[in-house]
Amino acid sequence: MKNRGMDKASDKTPLSWQQTGSTLFLKGTLDRDSLLPFWQQKDSLLAHIENIDVSGLEHVDSTGMALFVRIKGDWQQSGKVLTFSGIGERLNTLIALYSLQSLFADNSPEKGNSPE
């Protein structure tokens, strides 16, 4: 019998990121264990970012969600616009659980542009 907890921990993909234009693509796992390196570099990483694509994230925990809320709030306070794209079902569930829909309401830059 396999220990699912151990398998989950060993199956985590480390958090990585890549910038293309004004979009920052996040990939892997964003949780309390992977957050620190990103947090320490966030100011330089996000300096020219207008969109964060989260479609490559396999897992986001409440700590990762708190990071998104903090970043989004900082941008709004400074009068900048920051969107999140690629929000999947799991992340949408976290957004709904924490009643953050209004904070992330503008996160469909491609809305209405889907091919017919």
Side-chain angles (χ1 to χ4, degrees):
M1 182 185 282
K2 287 185 176 182
N3 182 330
R4 294 189 117 201
M6 301 264 305
D7 287 345
K8 273 188 172 180
S10 63
D11 288 346
K12 284 185 181 180
T13 305
L15 179 66
S16 62
W17 50 84
Q18 179 179 347
Q19 180 178 349
T20 302
S22 62
T23 298
L24 185 68
F25 293 87
L26 298 180
K27 184 178 178 183
T29 300
L30 179 58
D31 62 12
R32 65 185 180 99
D33 297 325
S34 65
L35 183 76
L36 189 57
F38 183 85
W39 179 257
Q40 291 172 332
Q41 299 177 53
K42 76 173 175 52
D43 292 334
S44 62
L45 285 172
L46 301 173
H48 303 288
I49 297 299
E50 296 174 6
N51 178 60
I52 298 176
D53 185 301
V54 296
S55 62
L57 290 175
E58 299 166 6
H59 175 75
V60 178
D61 71 359
S62 58
T63 309
M65 189 76 236
L67 171 73
F68 292 154
V69 169
R70 173 67 186 266
I71 291 170
K72 182 80 170 181
D74 288 351
W75 255 243
Q76 286 179 336
Q77 284 184 350
S78 67
K80 298 183 211 171
V81 175
L82 177 70
T83 58
F84 287 81
S85 60
I87 296 175
E89 186 178 333
R90 288 181 181 181
L91 191 53
N92 262 328
T93 299
L94 269 182
I95 290 168
L97 284 172
Y98 291 107
S99 299
L100 297 170
Q101 295 92 333
S102 63
L103 188 64
F104 290 92
D106 61 350
N107 291 314
S108 300
E110 60 276 339
K111 192 174 185 178
N113 295 334
S114 59
E116 302 277 329

